[in-house]
Amino acid sequence: MTNLDLSKRFSAAILASSEADLINDCTLGGKLTLFQTGRLLCSYAPFEFVNEKARIVLVGITPGRRQATDALLAYRRSMQTGDEKTALAVAKSTASFAGAMRSNLARMFDHVGLHSILEISSCAELFETARSLVHFTSALRNPVFWDGANYSGQPKINTVPILEQVARTSFFDEVRQLSSALWVPLGASAEIALQMAEGAGLLENGAILRGFPHASGANAERIAYFLEKKKRNDLSSKTNPDVIDARKAGLRAAVAKISGSSASV
């Protein structure tokens, strides 16, 4: 089933619903269900668009309710005045890594010099004037819920057959389309999905930039330490500075290696 086939399957239900309906329940009472088994529910949201010209790909775990709602609203509004392909692109751009996550990501990327590789003044441009350089995606493209709550990575993707199958289909398809891009996993589940792609021979190790703290506001202390805005002695017991230091050193080394390779071309 192609991207547009899946969109067309659910577009009538989305367009027939009001914005209030979508805000109240991003699954539309089950009308958007892709599959349900045991404690798992996967619901459709318009995240199919792939920016095939992207030089960097940001990978999360799965869209949450807020992102799903934002995407559905943007898709519905765009479909009222435009075509389906445009609506999918608008939905993806509007909802992916929205809010404070964008500023956190930009600051962390700039901190290790990623903006230099991308030849922009700041990675904040990835969410504004340089959107053509970035693709946003998730290990599980459509929103997955566990016991009604956003799926948070437990149990792990590669230990649940249906989730592993989802990752090996839709996610691997995106990897194939963007195999020459840099891939940035945001969180352990995204790393697992990229390890699976790497193991399948779809990506080389140097294409994956591992080690950034998750950009969620709930991770504020780790982000602050990564950015050297908070001192080691001021950290709570929940934050391990040695791990963050090691990962940041690895990221800087990887960025320096990429920069060196680019300069020698």
Side-chain angles (χ1 to χ4, degrees):
M1 181 173 287
T2 67
N3 292 349
L4 286 178
D5 287 338
L6 193 57
S7 173
K8 288 175 180 176
R9 174 180 164 186
F10 294 104
S11 62
I14 296 168
L15 291 173
S17 302
S18 67
E19 292 199 358
D21 291 333
L22 293 169
I23 292 170
N24 182 60
D25 179 8
C26 66
T27 74
L28 291 179
K31 292 179 182 178
L32 303 183
T33 297
L34 286 169
F35 65 81
Q36 185 171 9
T37 176
R39 301 162 71 181
L40 274 175
L41 169 70
C42 181
S43 186
Y44 173 75
F47 286 103
E48 298 100 304
F49 174 77
V50 176
N51 175 15
E52 296 181 359
K53 297 180 179 179
R55 293 176 59 189
I56 185 169
V57 185
L58 310 187
V59 186
I61 174 175
T62 186
R65 288 188 184 276
R66 176 189 170 181
Q67 288 87 355
T69 300
D70 288 348
L72 288 162
L73 290 172
Y75 173 84
R76 182 181 181 278
R77 291 165 186 163
S78 185
M79 280 290 287
Q80 292 173 342
T81 57
D83 62 272
E84 198 158 22
K85 289 183 179 180
T86 299
L88 289 171
V90 170
K92 189 70 168 281
S93 177
T94 299
S96 297
F97 301 102
M101 287 186 68
R102 295 188 175 189
S103 60
N104 288 338
L105 287 169
R107 288 187 296 155
M108 289 191 291
F109 291 170
D110 288 349
H111 194 64
V112 298
L114 198 50
H115 59 296
S116 298
I117 294 176
L118 298 173
E119 300 175 290
I120 52 180
S121 60
S122 169
C123 286
E125 295 175 28
L126 294 174
F127 306 101
E128 299 168 356
T129 56
R131 288 183 179 180
S132 62
L133 299 179
V134 64
H135 176 59
F136 308 105
T137 192
S138 299
L140 305 170
R141 176 187 290 169
N142 290 284
V144 173
F145 306 104
W146 182 271
D147 286 340
N150 291 338
Y151 171 66
S152 61
Q154 293 296 331
K156 295 180 180 179
I157 288 175
N158 55 349
T159 65
V160 182
I162 194 168
L163 295 184
E164 182 172 3
Q165 180 184 354
V166 169
R168 289 186 179 278
T169 52
S170 60
F171 181 66
F172 277 24
D173 181 56
E174 292 189 35
V175 173
R176 292 185 183 94
Q177 293 179 70
L178 294 162
S179 59
S180 61
L182 292 172
W183 290 74
V184 180
L186 303 172
S189 294
E191 287 205 27
I192 289 173
L194 283 170
Q195 286 168 0
M196 289 165 53
E198 190 177 24
L202 302 179
L203 284 174
E204 296 182 0
N205 182 62
I208 305 172
L209 295 177
R210 299 176 171 90
F212 288 104
H214 196 282
S216 166
N219 213 22
E221 183 174 75
R222 293 180 180 87
I223 294 169
Y225 182 73
F226 184 92
L227 295 172
E228 299 173 29
K229 300 295 184 182
K230 191 166 187 176
K231 296 180 179 179
R232 174 182 285 254
N233 292 340
D234 295 330
L235 296 174
S236 70
S237 59
K238 295 180 180 180
T239 297
N240 186 328
D242 294 330
V243 169
I244 296 174
D245 287 343
R247 289 183 174 180
K248 182 163 66 173
L251 282 164
R252 282 183 165 157
V255 168
K257 184 176 181 180
I258 294 168
S259 296
S261 299
S262 300
S264 62
V265 174

